[in-house]
Amino acid sequence: MKKDVIPPKLFLRFFRWYCHPKLLKHIEGDLMELYNERVRQVGKRKADAKFIVDVLLLFRPGIIRSPKGFKDLNTCGMYKSYFKIAFRSLLSKKIYSSINILGLSIGMACCLLIFQYVAFEYSFDAFNENQNIYRVIQKSVRGGGESETGATFGWAMGPALAQEVPEVASYVRLHPEYDNAIIANPSQPDKAFEEQWVYYADSTFFKIFSYPVVSGNSEHALAEPGTVMLSESTAKKYFGDEDPVGQTLTVRGWISGSFRVDGIFKDVPDNSHLKFDILLPMVDLLQKSQFSESSTAWDWENFITYVQLHESADLNGIDQKFTELFKKRKEEGWRRANITGYVYAQPLSDIHLNEAIPVAKAVMGSYRAVYFFAIVGMITLLIALANYINLTTARALDRAREVGVRKVIGAIRRQLITQFLVESALTTLAAFALAVAMAEFFKPFVNDLAGINLQSGLLINANFWITFSSIFFATTLLAGLYPAFVLSSFKPVAVLKGKGSGSTSGTWLRQGLVVLQFTASIVLLVGTAIVYAQLNFMRDMDLGINIQQILTVSAPRVLPEDTGRANAVETFTQEVSRLPSVMKTATSESLPGEDFSWTTSSVQRVGADPSSNVPGAVTYIDSSFARLYGLELTAGNGFKNVPISAANQKPYPIIANETAIHALGFETPENAIDKEIDIADGNICRVVGVFKDFNWSSAHQQRENAFYFLRRGLSKISIKMGTANLPGTLSAIEKIYKDLFPGNPFLYAFENEMFAAQYHNDQRFARLFSIFAALAIFIACLGLFGLVTFTAQQRTKEIGVRKVLGATVYNVITLLSKDYIKLVTIGFLIAVPIAWYVMNRWLQGFAYRIDISIGVFLLAGLTAVLIAMITVSWQSVKAAMMNPVDSLRSE
């Protein structure tokens, strides 16, 4: 007898040593038959005894000699053996293990990052201890048309609510410093800063909101006129390491004067919809500005009102009481303007993501963007899970013999399922560890792209562990449950005879998962193409206005008492005009790409039916503005022959745009010339010109009914420059500014960049979307590569035979590629309607948008097919180039 031949007697003796006699009695016949069948297949020299012995040795700790067979187990030893098998299985198939772990880790890393982003977006204002805070909102509908929603009221709204609605415990009003403020330390007058995040607030601010005061008395903060509250970083900027409390700052804004520092509060958290560095007393604003007039109490709607409700308050009843209170004051104006509306309380948690209610200087997000990225993250993870299921079921034949042997020696199905779930858990755990490392590494890049501040330290975050547990168990079950049931269902006699169906088991599922993967990938490809196409469309669309080569400078805010700003600005523009590279100068109260100076809900022709009222947007320009920006008059002469003295005399000369003229019912622009209109109930104006329509705002908004009043020496200075020696010209302008206006910061920007800044969020969304789309496609291709590799290995002999019979490399590549290309094509056909529906809904958020063309889908489909072909061909070429002799020798 030769050394490497194992006789049946020794084979049976081996089992008798391991198994109880009663168990052996049931399996002895099958063992003999299976062993002899194995010998007939491959000969005695190659009988797979070593395979069987290895499996038995591996399971030795889990077998106890008992009539119950495998039902009585040493639990610790059993699970120890499970982990040994799982670990050895991962090491024995390094390619497939690497593909599974890498794909899962990328999918999980995306999920982790998106989870943190979503959690961050939903955490806004949750730090407030008082959750009974609501912002007051008004919604109005004009004549059954489109509704308008706003969060600003007159200054009287807050006090009226506190007096007339018992459920209101307290209120606070905020008024943003809309034009920014110039702040300086009197001891360093040359160091002045423009501050964007400045609010006027009631003394109840720190009682209602949970912004910690670290120095000073929060109970009396903002109660005394002439005081100011600073954030810690702002205090350090103006006073360094000195104690700022009791010191003085000079403020130039809606009101001007000296303010004593009364306290310091912690820097506002990143997840606050209110962002502020400086708080000034509301009492100063009401006493020292035009708001002191009783006529502005309800009509000058610049104030944001928050209320704190009693815990027992009924929100439905609250909304009705708010509406009735407001209608009492606005009923006559609403009736004349044919407006219906209501007022309601908006929860604090709804403010940040509710982009339908924009407010100046609020930190706004988007429910749509959060939902979009959450879906993309889940799609990416599901693609990774599909890869795992595909590769695991495809390799079923490799594991079938192992399952057969284990079933022969008494393993029950529950134990086999547990074994494969342990393998899935081990793979998932390895992938998760790598995913956490990836998420931490790429978090700074995500913060930069998304403009947020996701914190590090995942491992000490309780929410992380909740999410980790959820994703871990879900991934383990989703990725391991189906393969476990498939593999544990194999019949031992069939698979050990080599007649198992493991190689085709789950074929339809695998094909379906490949289709699903590429359907999702193509949807993301189409989405990426449409997002960038819309972005390019917005950037390149004809605005009807020339914003190139225009430098904008903020007019000085700090001037000697005997100097008016209009005269100072005119002096500056005259000096700048003498520079050789300066072509034109003009001034305005606001600039294209910014908000208008003010808006009104009431514009109508004098003598017309009040129900014909339309909303309007107003700003102020000088007589040079139209020429500098290349605006075209379609009717009238504009401000060409209007003396500046007439600008402040009724009827005020104004220029309207074509949209406003048509909204007011004029048949042609010419018919509107010299006609009078009433703007904001009492401002009687005479139309002296009509601008051809142009876009003042971004493509997100429809063109407003715009009206332009004449003024001189306004706060925004526009300078048209040549391109030659741009740095030198800019330096010369800055020198003139600083010589004329010491103590004022030189604040400038280029108009085209300012206008493009409106699309910053869209650009950020496009970059993030394209990154996640690329990752999803990469994961899908990773899985496809693994499947093709496995298929090529399984068909090695077939390829060898075909090559011997004359098949070319091209024939072999086609053989291995065609089925997968068909699946990608099916995925494309399914993806087209899904992508069209989803992206069409997304485009509805833009007033001016592209039409979705069939070319976008064809390009995405061709890209997906090309990527799939490259992925498949890589392994197909390798298999096709293999020597047929080696192929036919392979086992």
Side-chain angles (χ1 to χ4, degrees):
M1 183 183 300
K2 294 185 178 180
K3 185 179 179 180
D4 57 346
V5 175
I6 303 175
K9 289 183 179 179
L10 180 59
F11 184 74
L12 291 176
R13 191 180 302 126
F14 187 78
F15 276 90
R16 289 191 188 102
W17 185 55
Y18 271 94
C19 303
H20 194 278
K22 289 185 178 180
L23 177 63
L24 184 61
K25 181 179 179 181
H26 294 290
I27 66 174
E28 185 173 349
D30 283 339
L31 288 173
M32 286 295 299
E33 180 185 351
L34 293 171
Y35 178 78
N36 290 327
E37 178 68 24
R38 185 65 173 160
V39 171
R40 286 194 295 272
Q41 286 180 346
V42 299
K44 289 184 177 181
R45 293 182 61 86
K46 295 185 179 180
D48 205 3
K50 185 177 183 302
F51 168 77
I52 297 173
V53 173
D54 283 344
V55 173
L56 292 177
L57 286 174
L58 190 59
F59 278 89
R60 182 177 179 180
I63 303 173
I64 297 178
R65 292 173 55 81
S66 165
K68 297 180 181 179
F70 276 84
K71 293 182 181 178
D72 291 337
L73 298 173
N74 179 334
T75 304
C76 181
M78 177 184 66
Y79 281 102
K80 182 179 178 181
S81 68
Y82 285 169
F83 279 104
K84 281 184 179 180
I85 294 171
F87 187 68
R88 290 175 181 176
S89 177
L90 290 177
L91 291 181
S92 66
K93 300 292 183 181
K94 294 183 177 62
I95 292 178
Y96 303 112
S97 299
S98 299
I99 289 174
N100 276 333
I101 292 174
L102 182 59
L104 276 176
S105 63
I106 294 174
M108 289 178 177
C110 290
C111 230
L112 277 175
L113 288 170
I114 289 176
F115 154 74
Q116 290 181 81
Y117 165 73
V118 171
F120 174 78
E121 291 293 293
Y122 273 104
S123 72
F124 267 70
D125 301 304
F127 59 85
N128 283 288
E129 296 175 4
N130 179 7
Q131 288 300 305
N132 291 321
I133 306 172
Y134 295 82
R135 188 172 67 176
V136 186
I137 302 296
Q138 61 170 309
K139 190 166 187 175
S140 59
V141 181
R142 183 183 302 276
E146 292 186 2
S147 62
E148 300 173 20
T149 305
T152 54
F153 293 84
W155 59 263
M157 185 64 173
L161 290 173
Q163 292 172 7
E164 301 181 30
V165 181
E167 291 85 351
V168 175
S170 184
Y171 73 90
V172 60
R173 296 164 298 182
L174 294 177
H175 186 289
E177 182 63 68
Y178 289 102
D179 293 329
N180 300 343
I182 303 298
I183 312 289
N185 183 338
S187 63
Q188 298 175 320
D190 292 338
K191 290 186 178 180
F193 299 92
E194 182 182 43
E195 297 290 352
Q196 180 181 4
W197 306 108
V198 180
Y199 280 90
Y200 298 89
D202 284 309
S203 59
T204 53
F205 181 85
F206 289 104
K207 299 182 183 74
I208 292 178
F209 293 106
S210 301
Y211 297 102
V213 174
V214 296
S215 179
N217 191 337
S218 61
E219 293 296 320
H220 298 93
L222 303 173
E224 185 180 346
T227 59
V228 60
M229 298 289 289
L230 304 178
S231 68
E232 287 180 311
S233 58
T234 304
K236 190 169 186 64
K237 179 167 74 171
Y238 286 98
F239 300 102
D241 296 329
E242 298 179 32
D243 181 7
V245 176
Q247 300 203 50
T248 303
L249 286 178
T250 302
V251 177
R252 296 288 186 274
W254 276 65
I255 58 175
S256 299
S258 295
F259 290 81
R260 186 188 74 250
V261 178
D262 206 30
I264 307 298
F265 55 87
K266 281 191 174 182
D267 287 348
V268 176
D270 292 320
N271 59 343
S272 170
H273 84 278
L274 288 173
K275 187 175 180 180
F276 54 92
D277 293 320
I278 299 173
L279 291 176
L280 297 166
M282 180 64 68
V283 63
D284 277 326
L285 182 68
L286 295 178
Q287 290 177 356
K288 299 179 181 179
S289 68
Q290 65 270 29
F291 295 120
S292 59
E293 302 173 12
S294 59
S295 60
T296 67
W298 290 94
D299 295 332
W300 200 310
E301 297 182 346
N302 275 16
F303 295 80
I304 308 164
T305 303
Y306 296 85
V307 294
Q308 178 183 341
L309 303 181
H310 293 294
E311 292 185 2
S312 59
D314 176 18
L315 279 181
N316 293 325
I318 283 290
D319 292 346
Q320 184 177 353
K321 291 179 180 180
F322 283 9
T323 301
E324 289 175 356
L325 179 150
F326 192 60
K327 278 185 174 179
K328 285 181 186 178
R329 279 77 177 182
K330 304 289 285 188
E331 187 173 7
E332 178 61 25
W334 278 9
R335 184 189 62 78
R336 286 190 291 105
N338 193 24
I339 292 175
T340 57
Y342 60 93
V343 178
Y344 66 94
Q346 181 190 23
L348 201 63
S349 59
D350 181 55
I351 294 177
H352 169 64
L353 292 175
N354 198 333
E355 59 187 339
I357 313 176
V359 175
K361 301 197 177 185
V363 181
M364 298 302 297
S366 167
Y367 279 118
R368 289 192 310 159
V370 170
Y371 295 154
F372 221 101
F373 283 121
I375 291 171
V376 170
M378 293 306 299
I379 288 174
T380 307
L381 181 59
L382 287 175
I383 289 175
L385 294 177
N387 279 350
Y388 184 90
I389 295 172
N390 264 345
L391 291 177
T392 306
T393 54
R395 290 182 55 226
L397 183 61
D398 286 353
R399 307 298 300 275
R401 290 171 183 150
E402 173 192 342
V403 172
V405 171
R406 294 180 60 204
K407 278 194 167 185
V408 164
I409 61 175
I412 60 176
R413 191 175 188 187
R414 176 175 57 82
Q415 293 168 330
L416 295 171
I417 291 174
T418 303
Q419 168 63 49
F420 291 116
L421 285 178
V422 168
E423 289 189 20
S424 175
L426 191 61
T427 303
T428 303
L429 193 61
F432 213 100
L434 184 57
V436 171
M438 286 182 178
E440 288 296 303
F441 179 78
F442 288 107
K443 189 176 294 180
F445 300 98
V446 174
N447 284 339
D448 183 56
L449 284 174
I452 56 179
N453 186 22
L454 301 179
Q455 298 296 324
S456 297
L458 275 178
L459 298 180
I460 60 173
N461 189 322
N463 290 329
F464 163 75
W465 287 106
I466 295 173
T467 307
F468 165 81
S469 302
S470 302
I471 295 180
F472 176 77
F473 287 113
T475 303
T476 299
L477 291 175
L478 288 173
L481 208 55
Y482 176 79
F485 274 100
V486 170
L487 294 171
S488 64
S489 66
F490 293 152
K491 299 186 185 307
V493 174
V495 296
L496 290 177
K497 285 181 177 180
K499 298 177 181 178
S501 57
S503 60
T504 57
S505 177
T507 299
W508 284 103
L509 175 69
R510 291 198 299 276
Q511 291 178 345
L513 289 175
V514 171
V515 170
L516 177 64
Q517 286 178 309
F518 276 92
T519 297
S521 298
I522 292 168
V523 168
L524 294 176
L525 270 176
V526 172
T528 301
I530 290 175
V531 167
Y532 274 100
Q534 174 65 19
L535 191 58
N536 290 331
F537 169 79
M538 292 189 297
R539 277 188 262 179
D540 298 338
M541 68 182 292
D542 183 10
L543 301 174
I545 184 171
N546 183 2
I547 58 174
Q548 302 301 318
Q549 299 173 228
I550 296 176
L551 179 75
T552 63
V553 178
S554 296
R557 303 284 288 276
V558 180
L559 293 167
E561 291 185 5
D562 57 345
T563 303
R565 188 175 68 178
N567 291 330
V569 168
E570 287 188 352
T571 301
F572 173 73
T573 55
Q574 289 170 5
E575 291 294 322
V576 168
S577 297
R578 295 190 177 97
L579 297 175
S581 295
V582 172
M583 303 174 184
K584 304 180 186 73
T585 62
T587 64
S588 59
E589 194 62 29
S590 57
L591 294 166
E594 297 179 341
D595 292 332
F596 282 87
S597 298
W598 53 278
T599 59
T600 177
S601 60
S602 176
V603 180
Q604 66 178 44
R605 295 165 66 172
V606 172
D609 187 336
S611 63
S612 65
N613 269 13
V614 298
V618 175
T619 195
Y620 302 90
I621 61 175
D622 67 11
S623 56
S624 302
F625 185 88
R627 186 166 57 93
L628 186 144
Y629 280 95
L631 303 181
E632 180 182 343
L633 285 167
T634 59
N637 294 318
F639 297 137
K640 183 178 180 181
N641 299 318
V642 177
I644 195 65
S645 58
N648 294 318
Q649 299 175 5
K650 290 186 179 180
Y652 305 120
I654 62 164
I655 302 175
N657 66 354
E658 291 177 315
T659 298
I661 293 303
H662 294 313
L664 289 169
F666 293 105
E667 294 182 1
T668 64
E670 288 78 9
N671 292 339
I673 299 302
D674 290 329
K675 299 298 191 301
E676 293 186 350
I677 61 175
D678 185 349
I679 298 179
D681 295 328
N683 295 305
I684 307 301
C685 307
R686 179 173 62 90
V687 179
V688 297
V690 178
F691 281 139
K692 183 179 179 180
D693 274 340
F694 66 94
N695 284 70
W696 182 275
S697 303
S698 75
H700 284 276
Q701 299 172 255
Q702 292 282 0
R703 288 193 183 99
E704 297 93 338
N705 301 318
F707 303 91
Y708 303 89
F709 283 71
L710 177 64
R711 292 288 189 276
R712 71 183 185 91
L714 296 163
S715 62
K716 306 292 184 179
I717 304 167
S718 299
I719 303 170
K720 183 80 170 180
M721 302 189 304
T723 56
N725 192 24
L726 190 60
T729 304
L730 184 59
S731 297
I733 293 172
E734 181 178 6
K735 184 178 185 305
I736 293 172
Y737 188 94
K738 289 184 174 180
D739 288 344
L740 290 174
F741 313 124
N744 287 273
F746 179 65
L747 305 170
Y748 71 93
F750 288 95
E751 176 58 27
N752 59 334
E753 295 176 355
M754 286 179 55
F755 201 92
Q758 297 178 102
Y759 303 122
H760 177 69
N761 287 338
D762 299 301
Q763 290 172 326
R764 193 168 60 194
F765 177 83
R767 287 195 297 266
L768 285 172
F769 191 89
S770 61
I771 288 171
F772 287 122
L775 288 173
I777 294 165
F778 174 75
I779 296 170
C781 290
L782 202 62
L784 190 60
F785 176 80
L787 283 176
V788 174
T789 302
F790 179 78
T791 302
Q793 290 177 353
Q794 292 295 308
R795 302 178 74 171
T796 300
K797 283 188 176 180
E798 177 189 349
I799 293 169
V801 171
R802 288 177 179 272
K803 292 194 72 177
V804 168
L805 294 176
T808 63
V809 172
Y810 173 78
N811 297 141
V812 175
I813 293 174
T814 304
L815 174 71
L816 294 176
S817 304
K818 62 181 181 180
D819 290 338
Y820 293 106
I821 300 304
K822 286 179 184 177
L823 297 178
V824 175
T825 304
I826 294 171
F828 167 73
L829 295 176
I830 297 173
V832 167
I834 297 173
W836 181 88
Y837 175 79
V838 171
M839 298 314 298
N840 190 57
R841 290 289 300 271
W842 179 75
L843 286 171
Q844 289 176 6
F846 299 89
Y848 303 95
R849 52 184 177 266
I850 61 170
D851 294 322
I852 302 178
S853 66
I854 192 172
V856 175
F857 297 101
L858 293 177
L859 179 62
L862 288 173
T863 302
V865 170
L866 181 61
I867 292 172
M869 286 183 65
I870 293 172
T871 304
V872 172
S873 298
W874 179 273
Q875 193 62 31
S876 299
V877 170
K878 182 180 176 181
M881 298 296 291
M882 191 174 180
N883 190 325
V885 175
D886 296 332
S887 300
L888 294 174
R889 282 179 177 172
S890 67
E891 176 58 33

